[in-house]
Amino acid sequence: MSDLFHVGISGARGRMGRAVSQVLDARDDVMVAARFDWGETPDLSLCDVVIDFSTAEASVALARQAAERGGPALVIGSTGFTPEQDAEIQTAAEKVAIVRSGNFSLGVNILIGLVEHAALRLDARDWDIEVLETHHRRKVDAPSGTALMLGEAAANGRGVELADVRSAPYDGVGEPRQTGAIGFASLRAGGVVGEHTVMFASEDEVLTLSHSAIDRALFAKGAVAAAAWVRNRRPGLYDMQDVLGFRQA
């Protein structure tokens, strides 16, 4: 098999689609076989894998089309899926390999793995967990999707559901902090691309794990790394923890 592989870009005219194009054009082991947007009909037979940063609706339609023909593999970075759309992606993954993630930063996904492992080893009776995130002033959701991924990783490490241990924001006079709770704090200021910190704190010491995004191109680079990984995988729904080897695929 040739080392050269063929990639399609869905949502090619969007900000992330253009960033993915720039990353792919700089590599000599990749050929961009198709660039398309919602409403256009690509020839998927030209592609070994499609990187998709479009919309939930467009991603579901693409996944359905790929599943019907048995390929290509997909890397999906779209967000905002309904439960019904989630189920359609799951169904498509029975026929094709799909990597789906809310954050393709390699550093963030390494951080997620480290957080889960730390939470597994640090007793919830002795160690509090707080997740802090900072983003630009235009971001409207809080906590960020990545902060919630980090909270999920901490909860997974402790063998609990995040919904059961997530604490409300601290404000005013309230009850003392609950043992085993996972807290969140959000800051919005200026043009910050994204900063995430997970603090593990006991009575005697503090462990801090953090990541700072400097350039949005990092998300495109991570998606391309996922494409190189997934193109020869068996059908299934994967995420960046699989790509980075934290789980055996």
Side-chain angles (χ1 to χ4, degrees):
M1 181 181 295
S2 171
D3 289 335
L4 181 71
F5 65 104
H6 299 77
V7 179
I9 304 173
S10 172
R13 287 190 284 274
R15 184 176 66 179
M16 280 305 303
R18 294 195 302 272
V20 169
S21 289
Q22 291 178 347
V23 172
L24 291 173
D25 289 342
R27 293 179 58 140
D28 56 11
D29 61 339
V30 180
M31 177 178 293
V32 178
R35 291 180 170 92
F36 57 95
D37 283 284
W38 177 237
E40 300 174 351
T41 305
D43 184 353
L44 295 183
S45 67
L46 300 174
C47 307
D48 298 311
V49 58
V50 173
I51 298 174
D52 170 46
F53 284 94
S54 55
T55 65
E57 182 180 5
S59 295
V60 167
L62 175 64
R64 189 184 303 122
Q65 184 181 358
E68 287 173 352
R69 63 180 306 281
L74 302 176
V75 173
I76 298 178
S78 305
T79 58
F81 291 85
T82 65
E84 293 76 17
Q85 290 170 330
D86 279 331
E88 290 212 56
I89 297 294
Q90 290 273 3
T91 298
E94 297 174 4
K95 299 293 182 62
V96 295
I98 300 175
V99 173
R100 179 180 166 196
S101 180
N103 190 314
F104 281 95
S105 159
L106 298 180
V108 161
N109 282 282
I110 290 287
L111 176 62
I112 288 169
L114 294 173
V115 166
E116 182 168 347
H117 283 270
L120 175 65
R121 288 163 173 78
L122 300 176
D123 195 318
R125 293 169 296 183
D126 301 321
W127 292 81
D128 299 324
I129 300 178
E130 293 287 326
V131 182
L132 170 66
E133 55 97 357
T134 304
H135 282 84
H136 54 84
R137 62 166 66 114
R138 294 172 295 281
K139 186 170 180 61
V140 296
D141 58 311
S144 69
T146 300
L148 292 173
M149 291 169 66
L150 291 165
E152 289 283 1
N156 289 342
R158 287 183 167 176
V160 297
E161 295 294 327
L162 179 61
D164 295 333
V165 296
R166 178 177 171 181
S167 67
Y170 309 117
D171 183 29
V173 179
E175 297 180 354
R177 191 186 197 284
Q178 297 299 304
T179 299
I182 297 176
F184 292 83
S186 299
L187 301 177
R188 297 290 176 264
V192 178
V193 174
E195 297 181 354
H196 293 88
T197 297
V198 181
M199 180 176 67
F200 295 83
S202 73
E203 293 285 355
D204 306 304
E205 55 185 326
V206 174
L207 170 65
T208 302
L209 302 174
S210 64
H211 175 272
S212 296
I214 299 170
D215 189 325
R216 288 183 176 85
L218 66 91
F219 304 115
K221 292 177 181 177
V224 172
W229 180 89
V230 78
R231 61 191 173 107
N232 295 320
R233 298 287 163 174
R234 292 176 296 181
L237 186 59
Y238 305 97
D239 61 23
M240 288 298 287
Q241 296 300 291
D242 297 300
V243 175
L244 293 170
F246 279 103
R247 288 192 292 268
Q248 293 299 315

